[in-house]
C-alpha cells in the first residue's frame, strides 16, 4: 500500500507539470487547430532563464529561497511570453490558412531553432539547477512527499483554477471562446482575432515558463533538449483528455502522470529495477496509441461549439 501511495504522489507531481504544459497545446488548438510542437521548447527557455536568474541571486544575495524562486519565475514569464508572441507572429500567422502540413513543419523547425539558440547561450552541457528550497520530507502512511512536490502540485492547482476563471469569467475569455467557435463571425462581431490568438500564445507561454521552473526545481537539472520529450508527453496528455478541451487537458495530464508513475514503479519492482527507469517514457506513448485507437476524441471529447 505504501508503494502504491508513493507512486500516486509521484504521479500527481508529474501530472501537474504535464497538465500545465498541455493547457498551452489545447488553448492554441482550440482556436486555430494548430499543434504548436515548439511549445516544449518554450518550457525549456523558461527553465533556462530561471536557472540563470536563480543561480545569480543565490550566489550574490541573501534573499530567502522562496523569494529567489519567485523572482526567477517572474523573470522567466516575460521571456517565454516574448518567445510565444514571436512564434505566433513570425512562424504561424501567415500559415493559418495553409495546408495542415505547412504549420506542422514550421513548428518542428521553430523547435529546432529554439534548441540551437539555447545551446549557444547556455552550452550543450546539462546544467545543475540551483536547489535552494529545503528538501523537507513529510511522511504519509508509509509514503513520503517533499516540500518541492507539494509546491508543484499546489501551484498547478492555483494556475489551473486561475486559467479557468480567465477563460470563463473575463472579456478575454469570452473573446477566446468566440474565436474558437467561429473566428470569422467573431471578427464581424468586433473581436480582434489576431490579438486574441496572440494573447492565447502568450498565455500558454506564461504557463510554460512556470512549468519550466517546476521541472528544473524537481529534477535539479536543465538542458537545451529538455523540452522535447516533455512537450511530447504533454501533447499526449492533451490528446488523452480531449484536444481543445481545457478540463480535458487538466484531467489528461494528471492521469498520464499517474499511469506513468504506476507503470514505471511496478514494472521496476517486478523486474528488480531493471526496466523501471529505462521504460518509464514508454507508458505515455502507449496511452496515446490506446486513445487514438479506441477513443480518438479523448476522454472528455474535443470541444466543439454549438451551432444553430
Amino acid at each position: 500500500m505504501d508503494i502504491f501511495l508513493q507512486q500516486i504522489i509521484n504521479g500527481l507531481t508529474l501530472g501537474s507539470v504535464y497538465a500545465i504544459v498541455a493547457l498551452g497545446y489545447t488553448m492554441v488548438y482550440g482556436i486555430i487547430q494548430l499543434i504548436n510542437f515548439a511549445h516544449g521548447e518554450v518550457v525549456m527557455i523558461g527553465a533556462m532563464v530561471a536557472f540563470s536568474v536563480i543561480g545569480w541571486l543565490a550566489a550574490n544575495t541573501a534573499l530567502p529561497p522562496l523569494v529567489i524562486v519567485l523572482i526567477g519565475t517572474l523573470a522567466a514569464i516575460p521571456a517565454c511570453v516574448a518567445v510565444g508572441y514571436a512564434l505566433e507572429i513570425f512562424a504561424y500567422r501567415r500559415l493559418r490558412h495553409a495546408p495542415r502540413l505547412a504549420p506542422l513543419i514550421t513548428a518542428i523547425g521553430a523547435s529546432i531553432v529554439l534548441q540551437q539558440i539555447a545551446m549557444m547561450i547556455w552550452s550543450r552541457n546539462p546544467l545543475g539547477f540551483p536547489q535552494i528550497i529545503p528538501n523537507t520530507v513529510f511522511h504519509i502512511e508509509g509514503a513520503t512527499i517533499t516540500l518541492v512536490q507539494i509546491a508543484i502540485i499546489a501551484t498547478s492547482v492555483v494556475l489551473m483554477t486561475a486559467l479557468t476563471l480567465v477563460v470563463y469569467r473575463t472579456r478575454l475569455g469570452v473573446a477566446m471562446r468566440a474565436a474558437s467557435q467561429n473566428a470569422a463571425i467573431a471578427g464581424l462581431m468586433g473581436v480582434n482575432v489576431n490579438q486574441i490568438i496572440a494573447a492565447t500564445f502568450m498565455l500558454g507561454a506564461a504557463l510554460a515558463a512556470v512549468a519550466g521552473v517546476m521541472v528544473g526545481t524537481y529534477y535539479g537539472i536543465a538542458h537545451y533538449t529538455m523540452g522535447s520529450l516533455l512537450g511530447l508527453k504533454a501533447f499526449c496528455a492533451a490528446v488523452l483528455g480531449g484536444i481543445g478541451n481545457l478540463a480535458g487537458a487538466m484531467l489528461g495530464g494528471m492521469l498520464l502522470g499517474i499511469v506513468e508513475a504506476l507503470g514505471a514503479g511496478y514494472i521496476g519492482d517486478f523486474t528488480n529495477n531493471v526496466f523501471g527507469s529505462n521504460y518509464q517514457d514508454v507508458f505515455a506513448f502507449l496511452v496515446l496509441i490506446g486513445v487514438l485507437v479506441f477513443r480518438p476524441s479523448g476522454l472528455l471529447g474535443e470541444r466543439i461549439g454549438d451551432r444553430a
Side-chain angles (χ1 to χ4, degrees), residues 8-304:
I8 291 294
I9 293 173
N10 296 340
L12 288 175
T13 306
L14 288 174
S16 298
V17 177
Y18 294 158
I20 294 301
V21 181
L23 286 171
Y25 281 105
T26 207
M27 284 192 299
V28 170
Y29 182 86
I31 294 181
I32 58 176
Q33 285 70 58
L34 167 71
I35 303 298
N36 178 20
F37 279 116
H39 191 60
E41 273 54 55
V42 179
V43 178
M44 176 270 295
I45 294 295
M48 290 297 197
V49 172
F51 160 80
S52 299
V53 174
I54 291 174
W56 187 89
L57 290 174
N60 295 280
T61 67
L63 294 173
L66 291 179
V67 174
I68 293 177
V69 173
L70 179 60
I71 295 175
T73 305
L74 293 178
I77 288 175
C80 289
V81 166
V83 172
Y85 182 73
L87 285 174
E88 197 281 320
I89 293 292
F90 299 111
Y92 301 133
R93 179 166 293 188
R94 295 181 181 274
L95 299 176
R96 288 179 195 164
H97 304 292
R100 288 182 178 270
L101 187 60
L104 176 62
I105 295 173
T106 301
I108 296 173
S111 173
I112 295 172
V113 169
L114 290 176
Q115 284 188 14
Q116 298 307 305
I117 291 175
M119 182 185 69
M120 290 187 291
I121 296 175
W122 287 283
S123 85
R124 64 173 66 247
N125 301 317
L127 305 173
F129 206 87
Q131 298 297 292
I132 61 174
I133 297 180
N135 192 26
T136 307
V137 177
F138 303 93
H139 298 275
I140 305 175
E141 299 293 333
T144 61
I145 183 171
T146 66
L147 186 61
V148 172
Q149 288 178 307
I150 294 174
I152 289 174
I153 296 171
T155 301
S156 68
V157 171
V158 171
L159 290 177
M160 288 186 285
T161 303
L163 180 63
T164 302
L165 292 175
V166 168
V167 172
Y168 292 101
R169 292 290 186 270
T170 66
R171 291 174 61 88
L172 174 62
V174 171
M176 290 171 62
R177 287 183 285 128
S180 69
Q181 292 187 15
N182 193 312
I185 299 300
L188 293 175
M189 298 298 293
V191 175
N192 190 322
V193 177
N194 285 335
Q195 288 185 358
I196 295 303
I197 294 174
T200 302
F201 271 87
M202 294 164 69
L203 188 58
L207 294 175
V210 180
V213 179
M214 289 179 177
V215 174
T217 304
Y218 185 55
Y219 289 106
I221 194 170
H223 191 252
Y224 77 98
T225 62
M226 64 182 287
S228 299
L229 184 58
L230 175 61
L232 287 175
K233 289 183 179 181
F235 171 66
C236 293
V239 173
L240 172 61
I243 192 74
N245 190 312
L246 291 182
M250 301 175 194
L251 175 63
M254 292 296 183
L255 288 179
L256 185 63
I258 291 173
V259 168
E260 185 175 303
L262 289 176
Y266 281 100
I267 287 180
D269 181 66
F270 181 75
T271 58
N272 295 320
N273 294 319
V274 173
F275 297 111
S277 60
N278 295 335
Y279 284 83
Q280 178 177 356
D281 298 332
V282 171
F283 296 102
F285 302 105
L286 289 177
V287 169
L288 176 62
I289 293 171
V291 171
L292 292 177
V293 171
F294 297 105
R295 191 174 175 83
S297 61
L299 296 177
L300 301 185
E302 178 182 345
R303 186 181 182 279
I304 300 176

